[in-house]
Amino acid sequence: MFGRWVAVLLLVGALFSLAGCNTVAGLGQDVTSSARTVQHAL
């Protein structure tokens, strides 16, 4: 049951990300930016 909720939340998050980027290129830039932020945090 918990796994199903996690999957739903990930799907909703992905949909919001795609809606915010508007393009695949924009999504790539957002993912790269997120990865850099995580690297700097670690």
PDB file of all heavy atoms in Angstrom:
ATOM      1  N   MET A   1       0.828  -1.194   0.000  1.00  0.00           N
ATOM      2  CA  MET A   1       0.000   0.000   0.000  1.00  0.00           C
ATOM      3  C   MET A   1       0.871   1.257   0.000  1.00  0.00           C
ATOM      4  O   MET A   1       0.599   2.195  -0.712  1.00  0.00           O
ATOM      5  CB  MET A   1      -0.922  -0.048   1.220  1.00  0.00           C
ATOM      6  CG  MET A   1      -1.931   1.046   1.231  1.00  0.00           C
ATOM      7  SD  MET A   1      -3.057   0.852  -0.149  1.00  0.00           S
ATOM      8  CE  MET A   1      -4.468   1.658   0.460  1.00  0.00           C
ATOM      9  N   PHE A   2       1.930   1.233   0.825  1.00  0.00           N
ATOM     10  CA  PHE A   2       2.832   2.388   0.892  1.00  0.00           C
ATOM     11  C   PHE A   2       3.527   2.614  -0.442  1.00  0.00           C
ATOM     12  O   PHE A   2       3.676   3.751  -0.887  1.00  0.00           O
ATOM     13  CB  PHE A   2       3.873   2.171   1.996  1.00  0.00           C
ATOM     14  CG  PHE A   2       4.865   3.285   2.107  1.00  0.00           C
ATOM     15  CD1 PHE A   2       4.489   4.516   2.612  1.00  0.00           C
ATOM     16  CD2 PHE A   2       6.172   3.100   1.698  1.00  0.00           C
ATOM     17  CE1 PHE A   2       5.394   5.551   2.711  1.00  0.00           C
ATOM     18  CE2 PHE A   2       7.088   4.126   1.796  1.00  0.00           C
ATOM     19  CZ  PHE A   2       6.699   5.353   2.307  1.00  0.00           C
ATOM     20  N   GLY A   3       3.919   1.528  -1.107  1.00  0.00           N
ATOM     21  CA  GLY A   3       4.583   1.631  -2.407  1.00  0.00           C
ATOM     22  C   GLY A   3       3.687   2.277  -3.452  1.00  0.00           C
ATOM     23  O   GLY A   3       4.162   3.018  -4.314  1.00  0.00           O
ATOM     24  N   ARG A   4       2.411   2.010  -3.364  1.00  0.00           N
ATOM     25  CA  ARG A   4       1.471   2.600  -4.321  1.00  0.00           C
ATOM     26  C   ARG A   4       1.401   4.116  -4.137  1.00  0.00           C
ATOM     27  O   ARG A   4       1.369   4.867  -5.099  1.00  0.00           O
ATOM     28  CB  ARG A   4       0.101   1.984  -4.130  1.00  0.00           C
ATOM     29  CG  ARG A   4      -0.896   2.443  -5.170  1.00  0.00           C
ATOM     30  CD  ARG A   4      -2.198   1.741  -5.032  1.00  0.00           C
ATOM     31  NE  ARG A   4      -2.005   0.321  -5.336  1.00  0.00           N
ATOM     32  CZ  ARG A   4      -2.990  -0.541  -5.515  1.00  0.00           C
ATOM     33  NH1 ARG A   4      -4.229  -0.142  -5.410  1.00  0.00           N
ATOM     34  NH2 ARG A   4      -2.735  -1.786  -5.789  1.00  0.00           N
ATOM     35  N   TRP A   5       1.403   4.575  -2.871  1.00  0.00           N
ATOM     36  CA  TRP A   5       1.360   6.013  -2.596  1.00  0.00           C
ATOM     37  C   TRP A   5       2.629   6.695  -3.093  1.00  0.00           C
ATOM     38  O   TRP A   5       2.583   7.796  -3.643  1.00  0.00           O
ATOM     39  CB  TRP A   5       1.173   6.289  -1.111  1.00  0.00           C
ATOM     40  CG  TRP A   5      -0.258   6.209  -0.707  1.00  0.00           C
ATOM     41  CD1 TRP A   5      -0.848   5.228   0.005  1.00  0.00           C
ATOM     42  CD2 TRP A   5      -1.290   7.148  -1.029  1.00  0.00           C
ATOM     43  NE1 TRP A   5      -2.187   5.494   0.167  1.00  0.00           N
ATOM     44  CE2 TRP A   5      -2.486   6.663  -0.463  1.00  0.00           C
ATOM     45  CE3 TRP A   5      -1.314   8.335  -1.742  1.00  0.00           C
ATOM     46  CZ2 TRP A   5      -3.688   7.342  -0.588  1.00  0.00           C
ATOM     47  CZ3 TRP A   5      -2.522   9.009  -1.859  1.00  0.00           C
ATOM     48  CH2 TRP A   5      -3.682   8.516  -1.294  1.00  0.00           C
ATOM     49  N   VAL A   6       3.764   6.041  -2.908  1.00  0.00           N
ATOM     50  CA  VAL A   6       5.036   6.605  -3.376  1.00  0.00           C
ATOM     51  C   VAL A   6       5.005   6.730  -4.895  1.00  0.00           C
ATOM     52  O   VAL A   6       5.412   7.754  -5.446  1.00  0.00           O
ATOM     53  CB  VAL A   6       6.216   5.734  -2.903  1.00  0.00           C
ATOM     54  CG1 VAL A   6       7.505   6.168  -3.566  1.00  0.00           C
ATOM     55  CG2 VAL A   6       6.343   5.789  -1.394  1.00  0.00           C
ATOM     56  N   ALA A   7       4.513   5.707  -5.578  1.00  0.00           N
ATOM     57  CA  ALA A   7       4.432   5.742  -7.033  1.00  0.00           C
ATOM     58  C   ALA A   7       3.518   6.868  -7.507  1.00  0.00           C
ATOM     59  O   ALA A   7       3.834   7.584  -8.461  1.00  0.00           O
ATOM     60  CB  ALA A   7       3.937   4.401  -7.567  1.00  0.00           C
ATOM     61  N   VAL A   8       2.391   7.048  -6.835  1.00  0.00           N
ATOM     62  CA  VAL A   8       1.451   8.113  -7.204  1.00  0.00           C
ATOM     63  C   VAL A   8       2.100   9.486  -6.995  1.00  0.00           C
ATOM     64  O   VAL A   8       2.000  10.367  -7.849  1.00  0.00           O
ATOM     65  CB  VAL A   8       0.140   7.993  -6.406  1.00  0.00           C
ATOM     66  CG1 VAL A   8      -0.721   9.236  -6.569  1.00  0.00           C
ATOM     67  CG2 VAL A   8      -0.623   6.757  -6.840  1.00  0.00           C
ATOM     68  N   LEU A   9       2.778   9.654  -5.868  1.00  0.00           N
ATOM     69  CA  LEU A   9       3.427  10.939  -5.598  1.00  0.00           C
ATOM     70  C   LEU A   9       4.539  11.230  -6.608  1.00  0.00           C
ATOM     71  O   LEU A   9       4.698  12.370  -7.050  1.00  0.00           O
ATOM     72  CB  LEU A   9       3.977  10.969  -4.177  1.00  0.00           C
ATOM     73  CG  LEU A   9       2.923  11.029  -3.077  1.00  0.00           C
ATOM     74  CD1 LEU A   9       3.592  10.925  -1.707  1.00  0.00           C
ATOM     75  CD2 LEU A   9       2.107  12.294  -3.167  1.00  0.00           C
ATOM     76  N   LEU A  10       5.302  10.218  -6.983  1.00  0.00           N
ATOM     77  CA  LEU A  10       6.349  10.410  -7.994  1.00  0.00           C
ATOM     78  C   LEU A  10       5.744  10.780  -9.348  1.00  0.00           C
ATOM     79  O   LEU A  10       6.267  11.647 -10.054  1.00  0.00           O
ATOM     80  CB  LEU A  10       7.196   9.147  -8.125  1.00  0.00           C
ATOM     81  CG  LEU A  10       8.143   8.870  -6.969  1.00  0.00           C
ATOM     82  CD1 LEU A  10       8.807   7.503  -7.140  1.00  0.00           C
ATOM     83  CD2 LEU A  10       9.186   9.957  -6.848  1.00  0.00           C
ATOM     84  N   LEU A  11       4.654  10.135  -9.694  1.00  0.00           N
ATOM     85  CA  LEU A  11       3.986  10.436 -10.961  1.00  0.00           C
ATOM     86  C   LEU A  11       3.458  11.867 -10.969  1.00  0.00           C
ATOM     87  O   LEU A  11       3.645  12.598 -11.943  1.00  0.00           O
ATOM     88  CB  LEU A  11       2.845   9.457 -11.211  1.00  0.00           C
ATOM     89  CG  LEU A  11       2.052   9.671 -12.498  1.00  0.00           C
ATOM     90  CD1 LEU A  11       2.943   9.500 -13.703  1.00  0.00           C
ATOM     91  CD2 LEU A  11       0.890   8.703 -12.554  1.00  0.00           C
ATOM     92  N   VAL A  12       2.836  12.291  -9.894  1.00  0.00           N
ATOM     93  CA  VAL A  12       2.317  13.657  -9.802  1.00  0.00           C
ATOM     94  C   VAL A  12       3.468  14.654  -9.874  1.00  0.00           C
ATOM     95  O   VAL A  12       3.382  15.671 -10.566  1.00  0.00           O
ATOM     96  CB  VAL A  12       1.493  13.842  -8.508  1.00  0.00           C
ATOM     97  CG1 VAL A  12       1.172  15.302  -8.270  1.00  0.00           C
ATOM     98  CG2 VAL A  12       0.216  13.026  -8.592  1.00  0.00           C
ATOM     99  N   GLY A  13       4.561  14.368  -9.182  1.00  0.00           N
ATOM    100  CA  GLY A  13       5.734  15.245  -9.235  1.00  0.00           C
ATOM    101  C   GLY A  13       6.311  15.351 -10.638  1.00  0.00           C
ATOM    102  O   GLY A  13       6.678  16.430 -11.085  1.00  0.00           O
ATOM    103  N   ALA A  14       6.361  14.228 -11.339  1.00  0.00           N
ATOM    104  CA  ALA A  14       6.868  14.237 -12.708  1.00  0.00           C
ATOM    105  C   ALA A  14       5.962  15.054 -13.621  1.00  0.00           C
ATOM    106  O   ALA A  14       6.435  15.802 -14.476  1.00  0.00           O
ATOM    107  CB  ALA A  14       7.000  12.814 -13.231  1.00  0.00           C
ATOM    108  N   LEU A  15       4.659  14.928 -13.442  1.00  0.00           N
ATOM    109  CA  LEU A  15       3.722  15.691 -14.269  1.00  0.00           C
ATOM    110  C   LEU A  15       3.857  17.192 -14.026  1.00  0.00           C
ATOM    111  O   LEU A  15       3.831  17.986 -14.966  1.00  0.00           O
ATOM    112  CB  LEU A  15       2.284  15.233 -14.002  1.00  0.00           C
ATOM    113  CG  LEU A  15       1.939  13.844 -14.530  1.00  0.00           C
ATOM    114  CD1 LEU A  15       0.543  13.446 -14.080  1.00  0.00           C
ATOM    115  CD2 LEU A  15       2.063  13.777 -16.029  1.00  0.00           C
ATOM    116  N   PHE A  16       4.014  17.590 -12.762  1.00  0.00           N
ATOM    117  CA  PHE A  16       4.210  19.004 -12.464  1.00  0.00           C
ATOM    118  C   PHE A  16       5.525  19.511 -13.053  1.00  0.00           C
ATOM    119  O   PHE A  16       5.608  20.632 -13.546  1.00  0.00           O
ATOM    120  CB  PHE A  16       4.177  19.260 -10.956  1.00  0.00           C
ATOM    121  CG  PHE A  16       2.793  19.391 -10.406  1.00  0.00           C
ATOM    122  CD1 PHE A  16       2.354  18.540  -9.409  1.00  0.00           C
ATOM    123  CD2 PHE A  16       1.928  20.364 -10.880  1.00  0.00           C
ATOM    124  CE1 PHE A  16       1.080  18.656  -8.888  1.00  0.00           C
ATOM    125  CE2 PHE A  16       0.647  20.493 -10.374  1.00  0.00           C
ATOM    126  CZ  PHE A  16       0.219  19.633  -9.370  1.00  0.00           C
ATOM    127  N   SER A  17       6.551  18.678 -13.019  1.00  0.00           N
ATOM    128  CA  SER A  17       7.840  19.071 -13.592  1.00  0.00           C
ATOM    129  C   SER A  17       7.720  19.291 -15.086  1.00  0.00           C
ATOM    130  O   SER A  17       8.233  20.270 -15.631  1.00  0.00           O
ATOM    131  CB  SER A  17       8.898  17.993 -13.321  1.00  0.00           C
ATOM    132  OG  SER A  17       9.156  17.879 -11.958  1.00  0.00           O
ATOM    133  N   LEU A  18       7.052  18.384 -15.762  1.00  0.00           N
ATOM    134  CA  LEU A  18       6.880  18.521 -17.209  1.00  0.00           C
ATOM    135  C   LEU A  18       6.038  19.746 -17.541  1.00  0.00           C
ATOM    136  O   LEU A  18       6.317  20.448 -18.510  1.00  0.00           O
ATOM    137  CB  LEU A  18       6.236  17.263 -17.792  1.00  0.00           C
ATOM    138  CG  LEU A  18       7.143  16.049 -17.891  1.00  0.00           C
ATOM    139  CD1 LEU A  18       6.324  14.828 -18.300  1.00  0.00           C
ATOM    140  CD2 LEU A  18       8.264  16.287 -18.871  1.00  0.00           C
ATOM    141  N   ALA A  19       5.032  20.017 -16.758  1.00  0.00           N
ATOM    142  CA  ALA A  19       4.178  21.175 -17.011  1.00  0.00           C
ATOM    143  C   ALA A  19       4.956  22.470 -16.804  1.00  0.00           C
ATOM    144  O   ALA A  19       4.752  23.449 -17.514  1.00  0.00           O
ATOM    145  CB  ALA A  19       2.956  21.137 -16.096  1.00  0.00           C
ATOM    146  N   GLY A  20       5.877  22.470 -15.853  1.00  0.00           N
ATOM    147  CA  GLY A  20       6.664  23.670 -15.578  1.00  0.00           C
ATOM    148  C   GLY A  20       7.728  23.922 -16.629  1.00  0.00           C
ATOM    149  O   GLY A  20       8.104  25.061 -16.879  1.00  0.00           O
ATOM    150  N   CYS A  21       8.210  22.885 -17.281  1.00  0.00           N
ATOM    151  CA  CYS A  21       9.291  23.032 -18.258  1.00  0.00           C
ATOM    152  C   CYS A  21       8.766  23.384 -19.648  1.00  0.00           C
ATOM    153  O   CYS A  21       9.413  24.114 -20.386  1.00  0.00           O
ATOM    154  CB  CYS A  21      10.072  21.733 -18.361  1.00  0.00           C
ATOM    155  SG  CYS A  21      10.849  21.259 -16.842  1.00  0.00           S
ATOM    156  N   ASN A  22       7.650  22.808 -20.019  1.00  0.00           N
ATOM    157  CA  ASN A  22       7.009  23.004 -21.317  1.00  0.00           C
ATOM    158  C   ASN A  22       7.714  22.306 -22.465  1.00  0.00           C
ATOM    159  O   ASN A  22       7.132  22.115 -23.502  1.00  0.00           O
ATOM    160  CB  ASN A  22       6.842  24.484 -21.668  1.00  0.00           C
ATOM    161  CG  ASN A  22       5.835  25.163 -20.792  1.00  0.00           C
ATOM    162  OD1 ASN A  22       4.881  24.548 -20.361  1.00  0.00           O
ATOM    163  ND2 ASN A  22       6.042  26.421 -20.512  1.00  0.00           N
ATOM    164  N   THR A  23       8.978  21.938 -22.331  1.00  0.00           N
ATOM    165  CA  THR A  23       9.687  21.249 -23.407  1.00  0.00           C
ATOM    166  C   THR A  23      10.594  20.187 -22.817  1.00  0.00           C
ATOM    167  O   THR A  23      10.946  20.221 -21.643  1.00  0.00           O
ATOM    168  CB  THR A  23      10.555  22.213 -24.230  1.00  0.00           C
ATOM    169  OG1 THR A  23      11.574  22.733 -23.379  1.00  0.00           O
ATOM    170  CG2 THR A  23       9.746  23.339 -24.836  1.00  0.00           C
ATOM    171  N   VAL A  24      11.017  19.263 -23.656  1.00  0.00           N
ATOM    172  CA  VAL A  24      11.958  18.235 -23.224  1.00  0.00           C
ATOM    173  C   VAL A  24      13.304  18.869 -22.911  1.00  0.00           C
ATOM    174  O   VAL A  24      13.972  18.495 -21.957  1.00  0.00           O
ATOM    175  CB  VAL A  24      12.087  17.143 -24.304  1.00  0.00           C
ATOM    176  CG1 VAL A  24      13.158  16.135 -23.927  1.00  0.00           C
ATOM    177  CG2 VAL A  24      10.755  16.438 -24.505  1.00  0.00           C
ATOM    178  N   ALA A  25      13.711  19.863 -23.691  1.00  0.00           N
ATOM    179  CA  ALA A  25      14.984  20.547 -23.431  1.00  0.00           C
ATOM    180  C   ALA A  25      14.938  21.246 -22.079  1.00  0.00           C
ATOM    181  O   ALA A  25      15.917  21.222 -21.326  1.00  0.00           O
ATOM    182  CB  ALA A  25      15.277  21.551 -24.538  1.00  0.00           C
ATOM    183  N   GLY A  26      13.823  21.858 -21.766  1.00  0.00           N
ATOM    184  CA  GLY A  26      13.660  22.520 -20.473  1.00  0.00           C
ATOM    185  C   GLY A  26      13.715  21.515 -19.330  1.00  0.00           C
ATOM    186  O   GLY A  26      14.299  21.786 -18.286  1.00  0.00           O
ATOM    187  N   LEU A  27      13.146  20.339 -19.550  1.00  0.00           N
ATOM    188  CA  LEU A  27      13.196  19.285 -18.540  1.00  0.00           C
ATOM    189  C   LEU A  27      14.640  18.855 -18.313  1.00  0.00           C
ATOM    190  O   LEU A  27      15.064  18.686 -17.178  1.00  0.00           O
ATOM    191  CB  LEU A  27      12.345  18.092 -18.968  1.00  0.00           C
ATOM    192  CG  LEU A  27      12.383  16.884 -18.037  1.00  0.00           C
ATOM    193  CD1 LEU A  27      11.792  17.239 -16.685  1.00  0.00           C
ATOM    194  CD2 LEU A  27      11.651  15.722 -18.658  1.00  0.00           C
ATOM    195  N   GLY A  28      15.401  18.712 -19.380  1.00  0.00           N
ATOM    196  CA  GLY A  28      16.810  18.343 -19.255  1.00  0.00           C
ATOM    197  C   GLY A  28      17.593  19.370 -18.460  1.00  0.00           C
ATOM    198  O   GLY A  28      18.431  19.025 -17.627  1.00  0.00           O
ATOM    199  N   GLN A  29      17.326  20.623 -18.693  1.00  0.00           N
ATOM    200  CA  GLN A  29      18.012  21.687 -17.956  1.00  0.00           C
ATOM    201  C   GLN A  29      17.622  21.659 -16.487  1.00  0.00           C
ATOM    202  O   GLN A  29      18.470  21.856 -15.609  1.00  0.00           O
ATOM    203  CB  GLN A  29      17.670  23.048 -18.558  1.00  0.00           C
ATOM    204  CG  GLN A  29      18.283  23.273 -19.917  1.00  0.00           C
ATOM    205  CD  GLN A  29      17.810  24.580 -20.553  1.00  0.00           C
ATOM    206  OE1 GLN A  29      16.938  25.253 -20.027  1.00  0.00           O
ATOM    207  NE2 GLN A  29      18.402  24.913 -21.689  1.00  0.00           N
ATOM    208  N   ASP A  30      16.353  21.403 -16.192  1.00  0.00           N
ATOM    209  CA  ASP A  30      15.899  21.335 -14.806  1.00  0.00           C
ATOM    210  C   ASP A  30      16.540  20.164 -14.079  1.00  0.00           C
ATOM    211  O   ASP A  30      16.948  20.286 -12.929  1.00  0.00           O
ATOM    212  CB  ASP A  30      14.383  21.225 -14.734  1.00  0.00           C
ATOM    213  CG  ASP A  30      13.686  22.515 -15.102  1.00  0.00           C
ATOM    214  OD1 ASP A  30      14.371  23.543 -15.198  1.00  0.00           O
ATOM    215  OD2 ASP A  30      12.460  22.487 -15.303  1.00  0.00           O
ATOM    216  N   VAL A  31      16.636  19.016 -14.754  1.00  0.00           N
ATOM    217  CA  VAL A  31      17.247  17.837 -14.134  1.00  0.00           C
ATOM    218  C   VAL A  31      18.726  18.092 -13.871  1.00  0.00           C
ATOM    219  O   VAL A  31      19.244  17.760 -12.807  1.00  0.00           O
ATOM    220  CB  VAL A  31      17.045  16.589 -15.022  1.00  0.00           C
ATOM    221  CG1 VAL A  31      17.882  15.423 -14.528  1.00  0.00           C
ATOM    222  CG2 VAL A  31      15.576  16.213 -15.065  1.00  0.00           C
ATOM    223  N   THR A  32      19.403  18.713 -14.823  1.00  0.00           N
ATOM    224  CA  THR A  32      20.817  19.035 -14.651  1.00  0.00           C
ATOM    225  C   THR A  32      21.003  19.996 -13.490  1.00  0.00           C
ATOM    226  O   THR A  32      21.910  19.829 -12.659  1.00  0.00           O
ATOM    227  CB  THR A  32      21.384  19.654 -15.946  1.00  0.00           C
ATOM    228  OG1 THR A  32      21.200  18.716 -17.011  1.00  0.00           O
ATOM    229  CG2 THR A  32      22.855  19.964 -15.802  1.00  0.00           C
ATOM    230  N   SER A  33      20.171  20.994 -13.405  1.00  0.00           N
ATOM    231  CA  SER A  33      20.251  21.960 -12.320  1.00  0.00           C
ATOM    232  C   SER A  33      20.011  21.294 -10.966  1.00  0.00           C
ATOM    233  O   SER A  33      20.723  21.566  -9.992  1.00  0.00           O
ATOM    234  CB  SER A  33      19.226  23.075 -12.542  1.00  0.00           C
ATOM    235  OG  SER A  33      19.202  23.943 -11.449  1.00  0.00           O
ATOM    236  N   SER A  34      19.036  20.403 -10.913  1.00  0.00           N
ATOM    237  CA  SER A  34      18.748  19.686  -9.669  1.00  0.00           C
ATOM    238  C   SER A  34      19.927  18.811  -9.270  1.00  0.00           C
ATOM    239  O   SER A  34      20.288  18.746  -8.093  1.00  0.00           O
ATOM    240  CB  SER A  34      17.504  18.829  -9.837  1.00  0.00           C
ATOM    241  OG  SER A  34      16.392  19.636 -10.117  1.00  0.00           O
ATOM    242  N   ALA A  35      20.528  18.148 -10.239  1.00  0.00           N
ATOM    243  CA  ALA A  35      21.678  17.279  -9.948  1.00  0.00           C
ATOM    244  C   ALA A  35      22.853  18.091  -9.413  1.00  0.00           C
ATOM    245  O   ALA A  35      23.530  17.672  -8.468  1.00  0.00           O
ATOM    246  CB  ALA A  35      22.091  16.516 -11.198  1.00  0.00           C
ATOM    247  N   ARG A  36      23.090  19.250  -9.978  1.00  0.00           N
ATOM    248  CA  ARG A  36      24.178  20.107  -9.495  1.00  0.00           C
ATOM    249  C   ARG A  36      23.909  20.573  -8.073  1.00  0.00           C
ATOM    250  O   ARG A  36      24.817  20.628  -7.241  1.00  0.00           O
ATOM    251  CB  ARG A  36      24.358  21.297 -10.423  1.00  0.00           C
ATOM    252  CG  ARG A  36      25.016  20.947 -11.715  1.00  0.00           C
ATOM    253  CD  ARG A  36      25.306  22.165 -12.548  1.00  0.00           C
ATOM    254  NE  ARG A  36      25.844  21.764 -13.834  1.00  0.00           N
ATOM    255  CZ  ARG A  36      25.564  22.337 -14.975  1.00  0.00           C
ATOM    256  NH1 ARG A  36      24.765  23.395 -15.004  1.00  0.00           N
ATOM    257  NH2 ARG A  36      26.083  21.901 -16.100  1.00  0.00           N
ATOM    258  N   THR A  37      22.668  20.905  -7.786  1.00  0.00           N
ATOM    259  CA  THR A  37      22.313  21.346  -6.439  1.00  0.00           C
ATOM    260  C   THR A  37      22.558  20.241  -5.422  1.00  0.00           C
ATOM    261  O   THR A  37      23.107  20.480  -4.344  1.00  0.00           O
ATOM    262  CB  THR A  37      20.836  21.770  -6.389  1.00  0.00           C
ATOM    263  OG1 THR A  37      20.635  22.831  -7.334  1.00  0.00           O
ATOM    264  CG2 THR A  37      20.436  22.252  -5.018  1.00  0.00           C
ATOM    265  N   VAL A  38      22.188  19.028  -5.774  1.00  0.00           N
ATOM    266  CA  VAL A  38      22.408  17.889  -4.878  1.00  0.00           C
ATOM    267  C   VAL A  38      23.894  17.639  -4.699  1.00  0.00           C
ATOM    268  O   VAL A  38      24.367  17.391  -3.583  1.00  0.00           O
ATOM    269  CB  VAL A  38      21.691  16.632  -5.410  1.00  0.00           C
ATOM    270  CG1 VAL A  38      22.103  15.402  -4.631  1.00  0.00           C
ATOM    271  CG2 VAL A  38      20.187  16.819  -5.354  1.00  0.00           C
ATOM    272  N   GLN A  39      24.668  17.735  -5.772  1.00  0.00           N
ATOM    273  CA  GLN A  39      26.127  17.546  -5.667  1.00  0.00           C
ATOM    274  C   GLN A  39      26.747  18.569  -4.731  1.00  0.00           C
ATOM    275  O   GLN A  39      27.606  18.233  -3.918  1.00  0.00           O
ATOM    276  CB  GLN A  39      26.783  17.671  -7.033  1.00  0.00           C
ATOM    277  CG  GLN A  39      26.811  16.403  -7.822  1.00  0.00           C
ATOM    278  CD  GLN A  39      27.586  16.564  -9.118  1.00  0.00           C
ATOM    279  OE1 GLN A  39      27.632  17.649  -9.676  1.00  0.00           O
ATOM    280  NE2 GLN A  39      28.158  15.492  -9.601  1.00  0.00           N
ATOM    281  N   HIS A  40      26.332  19.806  -4.843  1.00  0.00           N
ATOM    282  CA  HIS A  40      26.890  20.858  -3.985  1.00  0.00           C
ATOM    283  C   HIS A  40      26.475  20.663  -2.528  1.00  0.00           C
ATOM    284  O   HIS A  40      27.223  21.006  -1.618  1.00  0.00           O
ATOM    285  CB  HIS A  40      26.478  22.234  -4.474  1.00  0.00           C
ATOM    286  CG  HIS A  40      27.146  22.640  -5.752  1.00  0.00           C
ATOM    287  ND1 HIS A  40      28.498  22.830  -5.864  1.00  0.00           N
ATOM    288  CD2 HIS A  40      26.634  22.862  -6.982  1.00  0.00           C
ATOM    289  CE1 HIS A  40      28.800  23.164  -7.103  1.00  0.00           C
ATOM    290  NE2 HIS A  40      27.675  23.186  -7.812  1.00  0.00           N
ATOM    291  N   ALA A  41      25.288  20.118  -2.313  1.00  0.00           N
ATOM    292  CA  ALA A  41      24.820  19.874  -0.952  1.00  0.00           C
ATOM    293  C   ALA A  41      25.607  18.754  -0.283  1.00  0.00           C
ATOM    294  O   ALA A  41      25.808  18.749   0.919  1.00  0.00           O
ATOM    295  CB  ALA A  41      23.336  19.542  -0.952  1.00  0.00           C
ATOM    296  N   LEU A  42      26.071  17.799  -1.095  1.00  0.00           N
ATOM    297  CA  LEU A  42      26.829  16.679  -0.535  1.00  0.00           C
ATOM    298  C   LEU A  42      28.280  17.048  -0.509  1.00  0.00           C
ATOM    299  O   LEU A  42      29.075  16.751   0.229  1.00  0.00           O
ATOM    300  CB  LEU A  42      26.626  15.418  -1.393  1.00  0.00           C
ATOM    301  CG  LEU A  42      25.191  14.923  -1.464  1.00  0.00           C
ATOM    302  CD1 LEU A  42      25.105  13.736  -2.406  1.00  0.00           C
ATOM    303  CD2 LEU A  42      24.672  14.532  -0.091  1.00  0.00           C
TER     304      LEU A  42
END
